[in-house]
Amino acid sequence: MRIILLGPPGAGKGTQAKEIVARYGIPHISTGDLLREQVASGSELGNRVKAILDSGELVTDEIVMEMVDDRINRPDCTKGFLLDGVPRTVKQAEILATMLEHRHAALSAVVQISVPEDVLLERIRNRGIANAGARTDDTAEVAAKRLEVYRTQTAPVAQYYRERNALREVNGVGTVAEVSERVFASVER
Ligand code: B4P
């Protein structure tokens, strides 16, 4: 099973990803987590990535898709995977389509979690408080920038999959369990 999870920052992609991988037994590939690991390593690339994350902008398509390519080449991905937070630009969606074509692999579902902006800002603010600054991009200013970047660069990705009849939209407002049920129903329909 190959699933893509899309949605604005704070929509609960990371939260729902945990439920999805537990149900379907596939590995969880979060580009946000891969990038934060790169930052934690203290490498030269990690320092460049940190500056981009802290600005609320997107990391370049080349860096992100090279990481994804490396990750899906690992043996645990032969039976499938969950992509969380990627593709985030139409260019990334096109690169991914080529990567999957080369592997003769098709997508099973593209799930978009939708949440109104005021709820997103509140969730990001709460996560910033709960994690006591662990995510330096969870400030009000950076969150507003991330939402703007989402509107301009990532919302067209949903349209890209909608035009290919692959998009399944799920309401992300409700308890974590309620949203999970909607996600599972959309994947299994
Ligand atoms: P990500 O790590 O993908 O993070 P996110 O979009 O902010 O959060 P997510 O939607 O996973 O929300 P979560 O479950 O935590 O991206 C971070 C940065 O990395 C980006 O800004 C970008 O710079 C870079 N990046 C990542 N991928 C990239 C790519 N492909 N290309 C370029 N750059 C890339 O939930 C948020 C909060 O809400 C949590 O506190 C959670 O507990 C709460 N919550 C979740 N579900 C809830 C519910 N149902 N009810 C109430 N609260 C809920």
Side-chain angles (χ1 to χ4, degrees):
M1 198 167 242
R2 296 179 200 89
I3 303 173
I4 292 179
L5 201 50
L6 300 177
K13 298 183 296 291
T15 305
Q16 291 303 324
K18 290 193 188 82
E19 310 295 325
I20 295 172
V21 299
R23 185 172 176 100
Y24 301 115
I26 49 177
H28 175 198
I29 304 175
S30 155
T31 41
D33 287 350
L34 290 172
L35 291 167
R36 284 184 286 275
E37 279 166 25
Q38 197 54 254
V39 171
S41 75
S43 66
E44 195 265 328
L45 174 63
N47 291 339
R48 276 193 284 144
V49 167
K50 180 173 181 353
I52 299 172
L53 295 188
D54 287 351
S55 73
E57 296 285 353
L58 296 179
V59 174
T60 64
D61 295 333
E62 290 70 24
I63 292 176
V64 170
M65 296 315 287
E66 202 178 309
M67 284 187 338
V68 171
D69 197 34
D70 278 356
R71 183 63 190 86
I72 66 176
N73 268 341
R74 290 200 215 152
D76 62 340
C77 290
T78 47
K79 289 215 182 93
F81 46 76
L82 170 69
L83 292 179
D84 159 9
V86 65
R88 251 180 167 89
T89 64
V90 170
K91 177 79 189 164
Q92 290 182 16
E94 290 167 352
I95 296 172
L96 179 67
T98 306
M99 279 164 39
L100 294 177
E101 249 169 55
H102 285 159
R103 291 170 171 85
H104 305 290
L107 287 174
S108 313
V110 180
V111 180
Q112 157 96 354
I113 305 181
S114 302
V115 175
E117 284 205 4
D118 54 335
V119 180
L120 294 173
L121 288 168
E122 181 65 15
R123 286 187 188 176
I124 293 173
R125 195 178 74 88
N126 289 339
R127 183 172 61 184
I129 295 167
N131 292 348
R135 280 211 28 193
T136 46
D137 59 345
D138 274 345
T139 63
E141 269 170 28
V142 180
K145 178 69 195 173
R146 284 160 58 202
L147 281 177
E148 182 198 321
V149 168
Y150 176 81
R151 282 193 295 269
T152 56
Q153 300 191 55
T154 307
V157 175
Q159 185 58 21
Y160 172 94
Y161 287 115
R162 194 176 286 119
E163 284 165 6
R164 286 158 183 78
N165 284 326
L167 194 72
R168 305 178 190 186
E169 293 182 76
V170 163
N171 174 6
V173 180
T175 65
V176 171
E178 283 166 350
V179 178
S180 299
E181 283 309 317
R182 291 176 204 145
V183 170
F184 299 154
S186 81
V187 167
E188 291 162 25
R189 81 160 193 229

